Amino acid sequence: MPPPFRRRTTKKEPRRSPWPTAALEERIEEIMDRVQKAGDNHVERAAALEEYLTLACAHEGETWFDAGAWSEDLADSYLALGRVDDAVRTISSATRSGYAEGAEMLCELAEKLMRSGHEPQARPLWQQARAGYPDDVWIYVQAGIGYGDIGDHAGALEWLTTGLELALRTGDPESALEQLRPLRASCLSALGRPSDEIQERAAQGEQGNTGKR
C-alpha cells in the first residue's frame, strides 16, 4: 500500500485592514448566527453563506472576511444538497479571486467529487489547479491518488508521470518522490506494464534525498 498523501503548504500573511464599521460588524455577526443555527440544515446554511460571500466580495481584500474557508463550507452544503455544479463554481471562483489556498482547495473538492462518483465535474478542477499551479507537485500526487482510487489507472499514470518528471527536474525539494514512485509503480502493475526508465531514475533520486537527511 502506498504511503498516505501529504501536502506541504505555506500560509500567506493577510493584508492589514481597518476594523469594519459597527453596522457592517453587526451584519456579519447576524449572518454567522444564522449559519450556526442552521447546523445541518443545508438549505438555510447555504442561503446564509451566500449572503456572507456576497458581502465579502463587496469588500474584497479585507482580512475580517474569511471568504476562502466559508467558500469551502458553502461548497460542502451545495454537495449535501446535490448542487454539484454550484459547488464547483464556488471553489473555482474563490480560487480565481485569491481567497483560497490555491491548488489545495481545488484538489480537495475534486477529491470529494471523485469519491462521490462525479469524475466529470472533478476534471475541470484538476485542470484549473494544474494550469494555475503547474509547479505544485502535490497536484499530481493528489490527482494520481484520486484516479487510482476509482480504478482509472491509465489516468492516474498520466498524472503521476508528470509529477515524477517535475520532481526529478526540480531536484525534488518537496520530497515527493517517496510517494510518487510507489504510486506510479502500483499503476504500472495494475496496467500490466513493467517498470521503466523513469521509475529507475526516481529510485535513484529518492536514495539521493535519503542520503541528504
Side-chain angles (χ1 to χ4, degrees):
M1 181 177 292
F5 169 75
R6 299 196 305 272
R7 171 183 282 275
R8 297 173 177 85
T9 57
T10 302
K11 294 284 186 179
K12 294 181 180 179
E13 289 298 320
R15 180 172 68 84
R16 291 186 177 276
S17 305
W19 194 249
T21 63
L24 181 56
E25 184 177 3
E26 184 177 342
R27 188 176 175 193
I28 294 171
E29 289 178 352
E30 185 270 330
I31 294 172
M32 289 296 100
D33 283 344
R34 285 164 52 201
V35 171
Q36 185 174 7
K37 290 175 182 177
D40 292 332
N41 183 327
H42 292 288
V43 172
E44 293 183 4
R45 191 177 187 88
L49 288 173
E50 286 168 350
E51 187 175 334
Y52 176 87
L53 291 173
T54 298
L55 200 59
C57 185
H59 296 82
E60 186 175 357
E62 303 296 352
T63 57
W64 17 272
F65 284 100
D66 193 357
W70 290 113
S71 291
E72 289 186 286
D73 196 294
L74 177 57
D76 285 342
S77 285
Y78 282 150
L79 289 180
L81 295 168
R83 297 170 60 181
V84 175
D85 290 342
D86 285 332
V88 171
R89 173 185 52 77
T90 297
I91 294 301
S92 295
S93 176
T95 303
R96 291 192 183 99
S97 299
Y99 292 134
E101 285 294 326
E104 186 173 2
M105 284 180 70
L106 292 165
C107 291
E108 285 180 356
L109 179 57
E111 279 188 319
K112 292 174 184 176
L113 292 173
M114 299 280 278
R115 287 195 298 267
S116 57
H118 296 290
E119 187 276 334
Q121 289 89 342
R123 204 176 306 155
L125 294 172
W126 293 124
Q127 296 300 338
Q128 184 181 341
R130 185 177 191 167
Y133 308 88
D135 296 328
D136 186 341
V137 71
W138 300 111
I139 294 170
Y140 307 100
V141 175
Q142 215 160 342
I145 291 173
Y147 278 96
D149 284 348
I150 65 170
D152 184 353
H153 300 294
L157 183 64
E158 180 182 350
W159 283 94
L160 294 168
T161 299
T162 304
L164 204 58
E165 291 171 341
L166 172 63
L168 289 169
R169 186 173 66 250
T170 58
D172 193 28
E174 297 288 332
S175 299
L177 286 177
E178 64 186 48
Q179 294 187 68
L180 284 163
R181 188 173 66 85
L183 286 167
R184 189 172 182 275
S186 295
C187 286
L188 289 171
S189 177
L191 293 167
R193 300 184 190 177
S195 184
D196 53 19
E197 181 267 343
I198 192 173
Q199 283 292 115
E200 299 306 316
R201 287 198 292 124
Q204 294 171 5
E206 191 177 337
Q207 289 173 1
N209 284 346
T210 303
K212 295 176 183 178
R213 293 173 187 169

